[in-house]
Amino acid sequence: MDTDSDNEGELHRVPIQEPSERVTKWRNLTGFWILGLCNNFAYVIMLSAAHDILSKQGAGSNSTQPTPAPVPTRNSSNSSRYDCNSLSTAAVLLADILPTLVIKFTAPFYIHLIPYGFRVLICIFTAAASFLIVSFSTGVWMSLFGVVFASISSGLGELSFLSLTAFFDSSVIGGWSSGTGGAGIFGALSYSALTQGGLSPRDTLLVMLIVPALMMASYFCLLVRPPSLPQWKKKDDGYFRSSEVRRPLLEDEEPNNDVREAVDLSFTEKLSIIRGLLKFIVPLAVVYFAEYFINQCLFELLYFPQVPLRHSEQYRWYQTLYQAGVFVSRSSLMCVQIRRIWLLALLQCVNMVFLLFAVYYQFIPSVYIVFIIIFYEGLLGGAGYVNTFNNISREQSTKDRREFAMGAASVADTLGIALSGAISIPVHNYLCQLP
């Protein structure tokens, strides 16, 4: 009888535990997808709005008010063969990426001292501030100041959430990457749809304030955070330090209910990990250098006056198609995995050179050909991102090393984007001077 009772108890316990694990997995996967979406949303919106920020405020407008459709198709402020803004959209890119670059270069060596919850709150505050500042700005430089806040939010968030994946099942990397890709397509589409639907750029940015609120709900309510996640704990000396709960790995191991400080990697160990990451960091940086040179220097110059879309509308749809390609490839980890990131870097450089010649010699006959190339460009960029971090996660042997490596490697795309922004401005200025 006792045996039958025990067997009955086991039969009843099994179905209760299994759904719980499945629900936890899906909550975490969904949570990381939403975090990826929200983290990159402000960044994408600022790049989608770059042409509006420069053309409206650069022309002397004192706010981001809706602009009536102009009678002339081209920008009357220049006599170039291209319809150029006086200030390249790469200026918006630099304001959007340089603070991120500083954070990602330095934070891996001290960010472990700040708990994840506090980092998320900083991301939420700076993202909301970016939307408010840009929407109520009275000039280009005030708008660029708002873009800096978006950069801080995105940079700190990407570094923190990629590191956070070390405490969860590896499937959340695919969820995070897909979410960041979703931010691109949904951000660009929502901005294009709302502005073309009659909403002013200012009101569109104010609508986007729902995004930081969604990030807060996802992290603090949806995500099932494990007990091993480092948190601030008050010590006997009265100071708060980052610590984590260590659970016994084996059943016969005596439980340890005490909370002890997490063992930090030494500076030498961190440098050793970074050296091993170069084989991933360099190719991904090249991928992003090439694609953002295209996006922020050549997009604006790939102008087709004969099509029924105004210049600003062509620019927005270039961004939308690029982000669509990124979303598809960043969501493909379950189907396709690529080890040779350098091959993606090579293909992206071919894209860059081809489109640079296309801008200079103007031999592409139709905007629809450019649409296809830009979608392909996004596929290469998204594949480089998701496969790089998947490879890094699989290669690191321990959770501590994986947490540091994922955060440190996040500098790769930012470095490539920053270099492309610096080079795009003089190239843009040179091309805009051509008669």
Side-chain angles (χ1 to χ4, degrees):
M1 292 294 294
D2 291 338
T3 303
D4 292 339
S5 291
D6 291 339
N7 289 338
E8 275 185 21
E10 289 177 5
L11 288 173
H12 283 290
R13 280 196 297 271
V14 170
I16 293 174
Q17 194 170 10
E18 290 290 333
S20 175
E21 292 176 358
R22 287 199 300 270
V23 169
T24 297
K25 181 177 180 180
W26 280 105
R27 280 183 62 179
N28 289 335
L29 191 62
T30 305
F32 269 93
W33 192 91
I34 295 174
L35 290 172
L37 177 77
C38 296
N39 187 72
N40 282 29
F41 212 86
Y43 170 81
V44 171
I45 289 295
M46 294 308 165
L47 292 187
S48 295
H51 195 279
D52 288 335
I53 291 172
L54 296 176
S55 61
K56 308 301 185 292
Q57 296 179 348
S61 174
N62 60 1
S63 66
T64 49
Q65 295 296 325
T67 301
V71 176
T73 309
R74 298 178 60 86
N75 186 342
S76 59
S77 64
N78 69 80
S79 57
S80 166
R81 71 171 79 166
Y82 310 105
D83 185 25
C84 298
N85 277 305
S86 59
L87 185 63
S88 167
T89 53
V92 176
L93 174 66
L94 285 176
D96 214 354
I97 209 67
L98 288 180
T100 293
L101 186 64
V102 172
I103 290 172
K104 289 185 177 180
F105 259 122
T106 60
F109 296 97
Y110 61 79
I111 198 66
H112 61 281
L113 300 174
I114 305 174
Y116 283 98
F118 190 71
R119 298 186 217 174
V120 174
L121 290 176
I122 295 174
C123 294
I124 292 167
F125 170 78
T126 50
S130 71
F131 289 129
L132 290 170
I133 292 172
V134 175
S135 63
F136 291 107
S137 67
T138 57
V140 171
W141 295 108
M142 186 175 175
S143 292
L144 295 181
F145 181 68
V147 171
V148 167
F149 275 84
S151 177
I152 293 171
S153 175
S154 176
L156 178 61
E158 184 174 32
L159 184 145
S160 299
F161 292 129
L162 279 171
S163 297
L164 187 64
T165 61
F167 298 90
F168 294 84
D169 184 83
S170 60
S171 63
V172 300
I173 297 174
W176 161 265
S177 298
S178 177
T180 57
I185 181 63
F186 297 132
L189 269 177
S190 62
Y191 185 83
S192 296
L194 289 173
T195 52
Q196 287 192 308
L199 205 61
S200 71
R202 166 181 288 179
D203 291 339
T204 299
L205 291 173
L206 291 177
V207 169
M208 299 303 171
L209 286 171
I210 193 174
V211 174
L214 186 59
M215 175 184 281
M216 177 179 287
S218 178
Y219 181 81
F220 291 103
C221 301
L222 181 60
L223 212 62
V224 182
R225 298 185 297 280
S228 60
L229 188 67
Q231 302 291 341
W232 270 347
K233 299 291 182 181
K234 190 172 184 180
K235 304 302 176 181
D236 294 336
D237 57 8
Y239 291 97
F240 287 85
R241 293 194 181 90
S242 180
S243 58
E244 61 180 83
V245 177
R246 303 289 187 178
R247 285 188 166 180
L249 299 178
L250 303 175
E251 290 183 4
D252 58 350
E253 186 177 338
E254 192 165 322
N256 180 9
N257 295 324
D258 295 329
V259 176
R260 67 184 178 88
E261 291 185 20
V263 178
D264 294 330
L265 296 169
S266 68
F267 184 75
T268 303
E269 288 175 314
K270 291 179 178 180
L271 290 180
S272 175
I273 293 172
I274 290 174
R275 282 196 296 270
L277 292 175
L278 291 178
K279 62 185 177 183
F280 298 115
I281 291 176
V282 173
L284 185 61
V286 173
V287 168
Y288 273 82
F289 169 81
E291 72 184 76
Y292 272 80
F293 180 85
I294 296 170
N295 293 4
Q296 302 307 128
C297 178
L298 305 183
F299 271 13
E300 189 184 1
L301 306 180
L302 288 165
Y303 173 52
F304 294 82
Q306 70 273 19
V307 299
L309 293 173
R310 298 195 304 270
H311 191 181
S312 61
E313 293 169 345
Q314 289 183 39
Y315 177 86
R316 289 176 202 155
W317 288 110
Y318 287 159
Q319 290 285 353
T320 301
L321 286 167
Y322 160 74
Q323 299 293 354
V326 170
F327 177 56
V328 170
S329 57
R330 287 197 183 189
S331 303
S332 66
L333 189 60
M334 299 294 292
C335 304
V336 180
Q337 296 187 13
I338 302 171
R339 183 73 181 176
R340 297 179 176 87
I341 309 300
W342 61 265
L343 181 60
L344 300 174
L346 177 62
L347 292 174
Q348 199 69 289
C349 287
V350 171
N351 260 356
M352 178 186 69
V353 173
F354 176 80
L355 288 177
L356 180 60
F357 275 91
V359 166
Y360 189 83
Y361 292 106
Q362 299 182 312
F363 58 78
I364 297 181
S366 171
V367 69
Y368 300 105
I369 296 176
V370 177
F371 285 169
I372 295 171
I373 295 173
I374 287 172
F375 180 77
Y376 169 65
E377 174 210 350
L379 289 176
L380 293 177
Y385 182 93
V386 66
N387 285 281
T388 292
F389 288 106
N390 182 59
N391 293 337
I392 291 171
S393 177
R394 291 178 177 274
E395 188 173 277
Q396 299 303 316
S397 57
T398 66
K399 183 181 67 178
D400 291 337
R401 293 175 65 88
R402 193 179 307 118
E403 180 186 12
F404 174 79
M406 294 292 279
S410 67
V411 75
D413 57 340
T414 309
L415 179 61
I417 295 170
L419 290 175
S420 74
I423 293 177
S424 292
I425 291 177
V427 173
H428 171 275
N429 291 340
Y430 167 76
L431 291 173
C432 284
Q433 291 173 2
L434 295 176

